[in-house]
């Protein structure tokens, strides 16, 4: 298994893996429609490849079994923040250190680009993902709370 920079030829496979990621996330409350976003994810993967913000995990004889997409953004206070947008490893390759290697390579690249810290998001109910990130030193920083508006309409109108 090798973790290497992804290139534009990898974009279609990364998009397929992203669809699998998004489909898994629906079990945790994600409202993203995986299939309808495939084309835009393929474009994003190509952009990330060109900008150096894509690493892929390749297994000999199999192909790409995981990926990470990331970028750096400037903070309003003058610092730079690394953002891990997506990290995914196909189920048969989990618990083999592949995700950790992908994350480490992204963190190295982000540090090289001047990021002072790295942020990422995980679905609140996805305890496996949250445990993985805690093992790699990530702590909650900000919590986003949501509620559906249609459930609030009755109470606002008085019943």
């Amino acid at each position: 298994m090798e973790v290497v920079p992804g290139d534009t030829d990898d974009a279609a496979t990364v998009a397929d893996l992203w669809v699998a990621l998004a489909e898994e996330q629906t079990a945790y409350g994600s409202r993203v429609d995986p299939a309808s976003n495939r084309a835009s994810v393929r474009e994003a993967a190509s952009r990330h490849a060109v900008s150096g913000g894509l690493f892929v995990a390749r297994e000999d004889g199999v192909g790409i079994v995981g990926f990470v997409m990331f970028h750096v953004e400037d903070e309003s206070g003058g610092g730079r923040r690394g953002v891990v947008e997506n990290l995914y490893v196909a189920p048969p390759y989990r618990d083999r250190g592949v995700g950790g290697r992908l994350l480490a390579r992204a963190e190295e690249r982000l540090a090289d680009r001047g990021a002072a810290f790295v942020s990422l998001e995980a679905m609140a109910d996805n305890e496996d993902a949250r445990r993985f990130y805690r093992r790699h030193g990530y702590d909650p920083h900000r919590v986003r709370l949501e509620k559906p508006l249609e459930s609030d309409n009755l109470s606002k109108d008085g019943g």
Side-chain angles (χ1 to χ4, degrees), residues 35-108:
S36 69
N37 284 289
R38 186 186 183 288
S40 63
V41 171
R42 181 179 179 168
E43 291 173 21
S46 289
R47 285 191 308 274
H48 280 79
V50 169
S51 69
L54 174 67
F55 281 105
V56 296
R58 293 186 199 279
E59 176 73 76
D60 287 339
V62 176
I64 298 172
V65 299
F67 72 94
V68 61
M69 285 193 282
F70 55 92
H71 70 276
V72 174
E73 54 188 41
D74 293 323
E75 291 285 292
S76 59
R80 302 197 86 199
R81 171 174 62 149
V83 178
V84 172
E85 296 173 35
N86 296 290
L87 172 68
Y88 181 74
V89 175
Y93 297 91
R94 293 178 185 166
D95 298 320
R96 297 184 186 187
V98 178
R101 290 176 57 200
L102 285 162
L103 185 59
R105 291 295 304 273
E107 291 171 346
E108 290 168 8

Side-chain angles (χ1 to χ4, degrees), residues 124-136:
D125 289 341
N126 189 342
E127 187 54 41
D128 289 341
R130 293 176 56 207
R131 188 177 319 115
F132 168 81
Y133 291 122
R134 282 193 304 269
R135 277 197 320 264
H136 291 280

Side-chain angles (χ1 to χ4, degrees), residues 109-127:
R109 178 68 54 90
L110 291 165
D112 290 346
R113 293 179 177 174
F117 58 95
V118 179
S119 68
L120 51 82
E121 293 183 5
M123 297 301 293
D125 289 341
N126 189 342
E127 187 54 41

